[in-house]
Amino acid sequence: MSALAPTLQTFFTDRLIRQRQASPHTVAAYRDTLRLLVRFSAERLSTEACRLDIGDLDASLISAFLDHREHDRGNSIRTRNARLVAIRSLFRYAALRHPEHAAVLARVLAIPPKRFERRLVTFLTEPEVEALLAAPDRTTWTGRRDHTLLALTVQTGLRASELIGLRATDVHLGVGPHISCLGKGRKQRITPLTTSVVAVLRVWLSERVGPADDRLFTTRTGRILSRDALERRVAIYVARAVHGCPSLCEKKITFHVLRHTAAMRLLHAGVDIAVIALWLGHEQVETTQIYLHADLALKEKALARTTPVSTTPGRYRPPDALLAFLEAL
């Protein structure tokens, strides 16, 4: 057996699990990336996976693997960069244990991530939020559950994993109502609740069955909701809400858009960006600044402050639809 196999094994058992105490999500993501890399390398070099050596995984092979995932398998640039992060983590660990491969490892570690186009975040306006929350049929158990989880997400901005992991004991509806959750990076977070969401949660807690330490939202059979199930429910209700709010057709709406919506509502209410970062559980305030870029109303207010006194603030609007058409030709 070559040096790669034991190094790969101790990377997971010693570095990730014991030393860094990485979350199961991180371990699974690194496992998938390195499994794909080992299979690709074995096929490219026409050898068995257990016979691969660290020197075989040079910079040209790693680059070929990343290009294969991006171009042949259709991975996005973000996914490609995430694969590279896992590979670099393994190679930094290997550099400490196998200095004889320092030159090969250094060249791999020098592979830069690809730059990608950062699009503006998608979020829902207040009429769109109202239409989406009205879409579930609240005469049914499933409709009442979905209305509750949608209303909770739009107000708190929980991630899908955080919502799925919520238990009834995480909901506190007494003085200072709030929910507590264990977020990304194992950070404990407390988020206050509005009066309307508290009322919806009271009804749902009185209806749900099971012990208090069970999941807050489950399937009808008591199983844990999956991320795919949440996406399907959102897609169903968006299709229903389109009839009353046609502007929803112009947006690609996923469950994560509800998190963006919560952030934009806070921003429009004048909440400081640092507070929004704490609200969402962001590690760095810079991550939250994407909402500043997407907020056209905030930019218009800034523009109005720079407008000369003799000029009427606001965007140009043509005086007549026919004239606007002719001028645009």
Side-chain angles (χ1 to χ4, degrees):
M1 183 178 292
S2 67
L4 177 63
T7 301
L8 192 59
Q9 293 172 358
T10 55
F11 170 71
F12 281 97
T13 58
D14 186 57
R15 172 56 66 89
L16 288 185
I17 297 176
R18 188 183 68 82
Q19 295 181 7
R20 293 184 56 187
Q21 294 185 341
S23 69
H25 296 290
T26 301
V27 173
Y30 281 31
R31 174 205 64 200
D32 293 343
T33 294
L34 297 175
R35 180 177 57 189
L36 291 171
L37 174 62
V38 168
R39 286 180 177 176
F40 175 85
S41 303
E43 292 176 2
R44 177 63 67 93
L45 300 175
S46 301
T47 185
E48 296 179 1
C50 62
R51 296 185 180 276
L52 288 171
D53 200 359
I54 294 177
D56 296 330
L57 306 184
D58 56 12
S60 61
L61 181 65
I62 299 300
S63 297
F65 166 72
L66 296 173
D67 290 340
H68 166 71
R69 301 308 303 178
E70 180 182 354
H71 301 301
D72 299 338
R73 303 300 297 176
N75 285 179
S76 66
I77 296 180
R78 286 178 180 268
T79 302
R80 179 191 188 278
N81 289 344
R83 303 290 190 200
L84 180 58
V85 167
I87 294 170
R88 293 173 69 174
S89 181
L90 169 65
F91 276 55
R92 280 194 296 269
Y93 176 72
L96 301 174
R97 298 172 58 90
H98 299 284
E100 67 275 13
H101 295 291
V104 173
L105 298 173
R107 284 192 287 271
V108 172
L109 292 173
I111 298 175
K114 265 194 175 182
R115 300 191 66 176
F116 54 90
E117 181 180 337
R118 297 181 181 272
R119 299 180 179 178
L120 294 178
V121 297
T122 301
F123 62 95
L124 304 182
T125 62
E126 288 302 322
E128 291 168 346
V129 169
E130 293 175 3
L132 182 63
L133 294 181
D137 182 6
R138 298 174 69 179
T139 63
T140 65
W141 182 90
T142 302
R144 291 190 292 273
R145 178 203 65 189
D146 292 346
H147 174 79
T148 304
L149 67 86
L150 290 175
L152 180 63
T153 305
V154 168
Q155 194 256 298
T156 60
L158 292 177
R159 299 180 177 92
S161 59
E162 295 168 350
L163 182 76
I164 292 170
L166 276 182
R167 301 182 182 275
T169 51
D170 295 327
V171 181
H172 308 274
L173 302 181
V175 178
H178 64 275
I179 58 168
S180 59
C181 71
L182 188 64
K184 188 176 180 180
R186 291 193 292 271
K187 294 190 293 289
Q188 194 74 30
R189 192 163 85 254
I190 294 178
T191 308
L193 300 172
T194 61
T195 304
S196 59
V197 173
V198 168
V200 172
L201 279 171
R202 286 190 191 278
V203 174
W204 175 246
L205 287 173
S206 65
E207 182 175 1
R208 65 175 293 277
V209 296
D213 58 348
D214 276 0
R215 303 294 174 120
L216 181 62
F217 301 111
T218 62
T219 64
R220 292 193 66 89
T221 57
R223 296 182 179 179
I224 299 174
L225 282 172
S226 66
R227 185 186 299 268
D228 290 340
L230 290 179
E231 295 291 357
R232 285 196 299 270
R233 303 311 297 175
V234 169
I236 290 172
Y237 296 129
V238 168
R240 292 182 188 176
V242 162
H243 301 291
C245 190
S247 62
L248 289 170
C249 290
E250 304 171 2
K251 300 179 179 180
K252 182 180 179 181
I253 300 174
T254 63
F255 186 84
H256 203 72
V257 169
L258 304 183
R259 176 173 166 84
H260 293 326
T261 302
M264 294 303 293
R265 295 174 89 186
L266 291 171
L267 189 60
H268 289 160
V271 179
D272 185 81
I273 195 71
V275 177
I276 298 177
L278 292 173
W279 188 290
L280 298 178
H282 286 166
E283 187 74 24
Q284 298 176 343
V285 177
E286 289 77 8
T287 307
T288 319
Q289 290 180 352
I290 58 173
Y291 302 110
L292 292 174
H293 294 292
D295 190 3
L296 182 59
L298 189 65
K299 295 176 181 178
E300 288 180 342
K301 290 180 181 178
L303 180 63
R305 296 193 187 101
T306 64
T307 303
V309 179
S310 60
T311 304
T312 304
R315 280 185 289 173
Y316 168 76
R317 298 184 185 277
D320 185 87
L322 177 58
L323 291 176
F325 167 76
L326 294 174
E327 292 173 0
L329 290 177

